[in-house]
Amino acid sequence: MSAIDLVDIHKTYKGKVKALRGVSLDVNEGEIYGLLGPNGAGKSTLVKIIMTVIHATRASGTVLGLPIGDVRGLKQIGYLPEHHRFPEYLTGTQVLHFYSALCGVERSTRKKRAASLLDRLGLQGWGRKRINTYSKGMLQRLGIAQALMNNPKLLILDEPTDGVDPVGRREIRDLLSELKAEGHAIFLNSHLLSELEMVCDRVAIMVKGKVTMQGTIDSLTNESKRIEIEIDCTPPEWTHSVFDKVDGQTMTKLGDNTSTVQPMIDRLRSEQCAIRSIKPVRESLEDLFMRAVDYIDNPGSHGENK
Amino acid sequence: MTVFKALLIDAYRQLSAAKLFWLTLGLSGLVVVLYGSIGFNDEGVTLLFGLFDVESEFITAGSPWARGFYLGIYSYFLVTIWLAWVATILALISTCSIFPDFVCAGSIELSLSKPISRLRLFLMKYLVSMLFVMLQVSVFCLGIFLCVGLRLGEWNWMIFVAIPIVTVFYSYLFAVTVFVGMVTKSGIAALLVTGVFWMALFSVGASEGILTSVVTSQEVQIERYQEGIEKQQAILDEIIAKSPEDFRIESKQSRIDEMKTDNEASVEFLGKIRAWQEPISWILTALPKTAQTIGLLDRWLSSDDGFDLGAIMRGDMSELEEVEEIDPTNHWAVQRETEKRVQDEYDGRSLWYVIGTSLIFEGFILGLASLIFCRRDF
């Protein structure tokens, strides 16, 4: 069963601003799904529609098997909003108790989970301190702990590593991997492409209210896979006909099948041409992202996207 | 229940973190101490724990007037001035930003993403926001209860009726604060508009009160004129029957004509005043009746035997009856009768009229605010 199965979501704000123009996507149980997009793409609007914070103009689909917008489904969802603000008069433990109580979690369970999550998120010893003494990174960790207090089946995190230092980011990545292993579905909304690349099973790229690409990173970057050979001499004439691209002393063969370049390597060597490097190259998520953004801006300048 | 309890505890934490909450509580404590410092002895009233003495013939230790006086200070002044004005202003300042803070970006997402319907969340948040007033008034009433018990030897549980009364009174205003807070997302704007609304309510209520007094006064005056005319006519008829040439006939007839003219002028004036009083009464019916809601406490605390602060202030401790016997149209006699009738008129207004219609207005404003809350994209 899909944790999230959205079909044709539309949102038009007052003033006819179209934030979402028919978004469809699905997130499987037990996977980490990343949503990418430039500012104003409609990512937060989509997340807020899932969390019932915003009403969709038109929507169908399900979240954890219940129709989108059904608040009953929220009982099994943990959510960390972007730029969240906890009441400053509360301590860390009180924050966890308060928001999980709104979820209907019983006091005894809250007590156990709060202590355990504060430890797990590296906030041990801070539970009794008011949150106005917390750093931004600590608030972010507390926010993640808050999202986990109801032991959710689905975790929706909007910019979870915002303001977190590199060590903290790694810890959060490790935590996400652990949660995935425990069977939680995780929906990540982030600008940090390198981080998403490290943890996500699948990604969707949203631009101007539409999902332009969706799939595993491997499948999305498949057509960009190539082998690059760099040599020390001027490329012989024949290389122009067998390689897909020759640029200076670098020759490129599309695809990731290494056997296709073996005869060419042998021939270069036999012609006393020294080989400096041979490397398989794949488009990074950042390249993919830029391509998606560029495609929306200039639809005629590229091939068909997935 | 878990959700309501969580919101209630959160509301308490929010209030207890605010200095104004403790300041208000401290000031309430001071008012209670000052109240407790009033005592009675055989000569009259003592103030500031016996530091000053005020002699009184009637208000002495153990007298029914002492009871009426002491409870009257509570219901007339402490509740009407302290709780219904000063403490309410402090409460509005403390709570005006509760809803704007609740719906601000970054905060509302955390609450709306929980499995509670928006309407339920809104109404529960509204109810727990009354905690400030409820706590303040409860502590205040407890202090007053102890003072009355120790000073009068009377453990009057009716004192605690001020808790629901003041809370309901405050809720009329807070509904407007919430509505404006929802629309503008600004605590300051909510406070200012509530202040203006409160003044408007006060003006309408005061106008209605003044016009009711004037109407009643004219009615009393007309009754007295008619009684006087009938009485004078009877005397005149008797004189004419005895001696048709009596020298007093002309002056009596002149007096009767004068009274008839005055009566006609009063009837005409009454008609004009009623043309104003009736629409204002209708307007007031549709609005929250703040003063009358607070006035309920005095109605319920006053003793049936008439020994209350109202009677003391009207001068009922001394006899005014002879004034009425000399001339029923005498200004003081008319005023006294008017005050009694106006008081009876207000005391006769039903709980439905005072609180029920006010709650309908509150419900309407809250309905609008909840509609905005439920439909808004945050």
Side-chain angles (χ1 to χ4, degrees):
Chain A
M1 191 179 78
S2 293
I4 300 175
D5 180 16
L6 304 180
V7 183
D8 199 26
I9 309 290
H10 289 260
K11 176 64 190 178
T12 306
Y13 286 110
K14 281 177 190 169
K16 311 259 180 192
V17 178
K18 290 190 174 181
L20 300 179
R21 303 159 185 252
V23 172
S24 298
L25 57 82
D26 69 298
V27 178
N28 298 321
E29 284 186 342
E31 78 170 346
I32 302 181
Y33 191 96
L35 184 64
L36 318 175
N39 290 336
K43 305 184 302 292
S44 289
T45 299
L46 183 67
V47 168
K48 285 181 177 183
I49 285 174
I50 295 171
M51 297 311 300
T52 74
V53 176
I54 285 178
H55 304 285
T57 308
R58 195 165 84 224
S60 61
T62 59
V63 177
L64 294 175
L66 289 166
I68 187 166
D70 190 328
V71 292
R72 288 174 302 166
L74 300 174
K75 202 174 177 84
Q76 298 185 73
I77 302 177
Y79 175 46
L80 172 73
E82 188 185 12
H83 308 308
H84 56 81
R85 275 176 51 179
F86 294 127
E88 290 197 342
Y89 50 84
L90 296 180
T91 66
T93 304
Q94 286 169 349
V95 164
L96 299 184
H97 273 267
F98 175 59
Y99 288 105
S100 54
L102 292 186
C103 253
V105 179
E106 290 301 324
R107 187 176 157 73
S108 55
T109 313
R110 293 202 304 260
K111 221 171 168 180
K112 280 182 213 158
R113 281 193 195 147
S116 140
L117 283 168
L118 285 172
D119 279 356
R120 197 170 180 182
L121 270 298
L123 291 170
Q124 54 271 56
W126 283 85
R128 289 188 172 189
K129 292 183 179 160
R130 280 209 179 173
I131 62 156
N132 55 10
T133 60
Y134 283 32
S135 68
K136 197 176 177 199
M138 290 164 76
L139 284 172
Q140 203 66 7
R141 291 180 204 205
L142 185 68
I144 296 173
Q146 170 273 141
L148 289 167
M149 277 295 285
N150 57 333
N151 192 27
K153 277 187 180 173
L154 170 63
L155 190 60
I156 297 179
L157 307 175
D158 204 346
E159 302 292 352
T161 53
D162 190 20
V164 180
D165 61 31
V167 177
R169 284 182 189 178
R170 168 169 271 192
E171 286 169 359
I172 289 173
R173 280 203 304 272
D174 292 345
L175 173 71
L176 294 179
S177 299
E178 286 169 28
L179 291 169
K180 179 193 161 188
E182 289 168 16
H184 300 267
I186 301 167
F187 187 89
L188 276 179
N189 187 5
S190 177
H191 286 106
L192 295 172
L193 305 179
S194 56
E195 293 203 348
L196 286 180
E197 199 164 11
M198 279 188 257
V199 294
C200 288
D201 297 306
R202 289 196 301 145
V203 295
I205 298 178
M206 264 184 85
V207 184
K208 293 186 177 173
K210 281 184 176 175
V211 172
T212 56
M213 294 180 181
Q214 185 175 194
T216 62
I217 292 171
D218 201 43
S219 70
L220 292 175
T221 56
N222 199 36
E223 67 179 43
S224 70
K225 284 178 182 170
R226 60 197 183 272
I227 295 165
E228 283 181 1
I229 299 171
E230 197 181 353
I231 55 176
D232 269 343
C233 58
T234 305
E237 195 56 36
W238 58 267
T239 55
H240 291 276
S241 58
V242 295
F243 283 99
D244 294 297
K245 187 181 173 189
V246 178
D247 182 15
Q249 292 176 313
T250 305
M251 294 160 294
T252 304
K253 182 74 180 165
L254 293 178
D256 61 347
N257 188 353
T258 51
S259 62
T260 58
V261 293
Q262 294 306 324
M264 299 159 195
I265 295 166
D266 293 342
R267 191 169 172 186
L268 284 168
R269 280 186 169 159
S270 67
E271 291 176 11
Q272 308 303 313
C273 195
I275 294 171
R276 194 180 293 155
S277 68
I278 304 170
K279 56 184 180 188
V281 177
R282 194 188 74 172
E283 199 175 31
S284 68
L285 195 54
E286 190 176 328
D287 297 331
L288 192 69
F289 177 78
M290 295 309 294
R291 186 152 62 87
V293 173
D294 196 30
Y295 171 71
I296 286 288
D297 290 338
N298 306 291
S301 65
H302 295 266
E304 194 67 23
N305 284 285
K306 290 189 180 186
Chain B
M1 198 60 199
T2 307
V3 174
F4 186 76
K5 206 169 140 188
L7 286 168
L8 194 67
I9 292 170
D10 180 62
Y12 172 73
R13 284 178 178 146
Q14 186 173 7
L15 293 177
S16 60
K19 284 178 187 156
L20 202 55
F21 176 79
W22 297 107
L23 178 74
T24 311
L25 205 62
L27 289 173
S28 285
L30 189 66
V31 171
V32 169
V33 169
L34 287 173
Y35 183 67
S37 76
I38 300 171
F40 305 97
N41 58 27
D42 292 339
E43 274 80 46
V45 184
T46 64
L47 302 173
L48 293 176
F49 299 105
L51 204 63
F52 301 103
D53 291 316
V54 180
E55 285 185 13
S56 170
E57 188 184 341
F58 304 99
I59 309 168
T60 53
S63 76
W65 288 114
R67 179 190 180 277
F69 176 76
Y70 203 59
L71 287 177
I73 288 176
Y74 167 62
S75 60
Y76 261 61
F77 297 110
L78 300 191
V79 173
T80 311
I81 295 171
W82 173 249
L83 287 183
W85 279 100
V86 185
T88 299
I89 289 169
L90 293 174
L92 284 172
I93 292 170
S94 299
T95 56
C96 67
S97 60
I98 287 182
F99 270 78
D101 286 350
F102 177 57
V103 299
C104 76
S107 170
I108 188 64
E109 292 94 331
L110 291 161
S111 301
L112 288 184
S113 60
K114 306 303 176 207
I116 321 157
S117 76
R118 284 193 183 197
L119 184 63
R120 198 170 148 229
L121 183 65
F122 176 85
L123 292 177
M124 284 199 288
K125 185 75 184 172
Y126 179 76
L127 287 176
V128 300
S129 300
M130 300 287 171
L131 193 68
F132 183 100
V133 167
M134 286 185 75
L135 279 177
Q136 294 281 352
V137 182
S138 300
V139 172
F140 186 77
C141 287
L142 183 66
I144 297 292
F145 175 75
L146 292 174
C147 290
V148 171
L150 294 170
R151 287 290 182 195
L152 303 177
E154 175 185 319
W155 301 101
N156 192 336
W157 294 97
M158 283 300 283
I159 284 166
F160 292 100
V161 172
I163 300 170
I165 285 180
V166 177
T167 306
V168 165
F169 157 81
Y170 174 75
S171 74
Y172 305 154
L173 301 173
F174 189 59
V176 176
T177 308
V178 169
F179 173 71
V180 181
M182 286 301 306
V183 173
T184 63
K185 296 186 182 177
S186 160
I188 297 292
L191 184 65
L192 288 174
V193 175
T194 306
V196 171
F197 174 72
W198 193 4
M199 288 305 112
L201 285 183
F202 180 77
S203 304
V204 175
S207 303
E208 195 263 353
I210 291 166
L211 289 171
T212 302
S213 290
V214 174
V215 165
T216 311
S217 159
Q218 289 304 308
E219 286 171 347
V220 172
Q221 190 77 268
I222 290 164
E223 279 176 27
R224 295 290 157 95
Y225 280 136
Q226 284 168 352
E227 283 168 13
I229 291 165
E230 280 171 22
K231 204 172 171 183
Q232 295 297 325
Q233 189 64 54
I235 294 169
L236 181 63
D237 291 346
E238 202 178 321
I239 293 170
I240 292 170
K242 280 182 184 171
S243 166
E245 302 299 321
D246 195 304
F247 70 95
R248 289 173 297 173
I249 292 173
E250 195 179 335
S251 64
K252 280 285 173 200
Q253 188 59 54
S254 163
R255 173 76 182 129
I256 290 168
D257 292 343
E258 195 182 311
M259 286 171 85
K260 277 183 179 171
T261 309
D262 288 345
N263 188 36
E264 280 165 15
S266 288
V267 169
E268 194 186 345
F269 184 61
L270 178 64
K272 283 180 186 169
I273 288 293
R274 273 203 176 131
W276 283 96
Q277 188 232 2
E278 282 171 6
I280 287 188
S281 293
W282 280 108
I283 292 169
L284 187 64
T285 303
L287 292 172
K289 284 150 279 291
T290 47
Q292 291 181 48
T293 300
I294 290 297
L296 286 173
L297 187 69
D298 188 54
R299 269 164 69 174
W300 293 339
L301 271 181
S302 296
S303 59
D304 295 334
D305 50 21
F307 294 104
D308 55 37
L309 194 62
I312 293 170
M313 291 196 299
R314 285 196 300 270
D316 280 1
M317 287 188 300
S318 57
E319 291 296 318
L320 281 169
E321 300 302 320
E322 64 272 19
V323 177
E324 212 165 348
E325 279 170 15
I326 292 166
D327 182 2
T329 59
N330 173 283
H331 172 73
W332 292 108
V334 170
Q335 191 180 349
R336 190 159 164 254
E337 179 61 22
T338 301
E339 281 173 10
K340 272 185 179 174
R341 287 197 193 180
V342 169
Q343 189 62 48
D344 289 346
E345 153 75 14
Y346 279 104
D347 287 353
R349 288 183 180 176
S350 66
L351 205 59
W352 157 248
Y353 171 79
V354 177
I355 290 185
T357 54
S358 303
L359 287 178
I360 287 175
F361 179 89
E362 183 182 339
F364 175 72
I365 295 293
L366 267 189
L368 288 178
S370 64
L371 195 69
I372 293 170
F373 183 75
C374 291
R375 297 188 60 158
R376 182 178 279 173
D377 290 331
F378 290 97

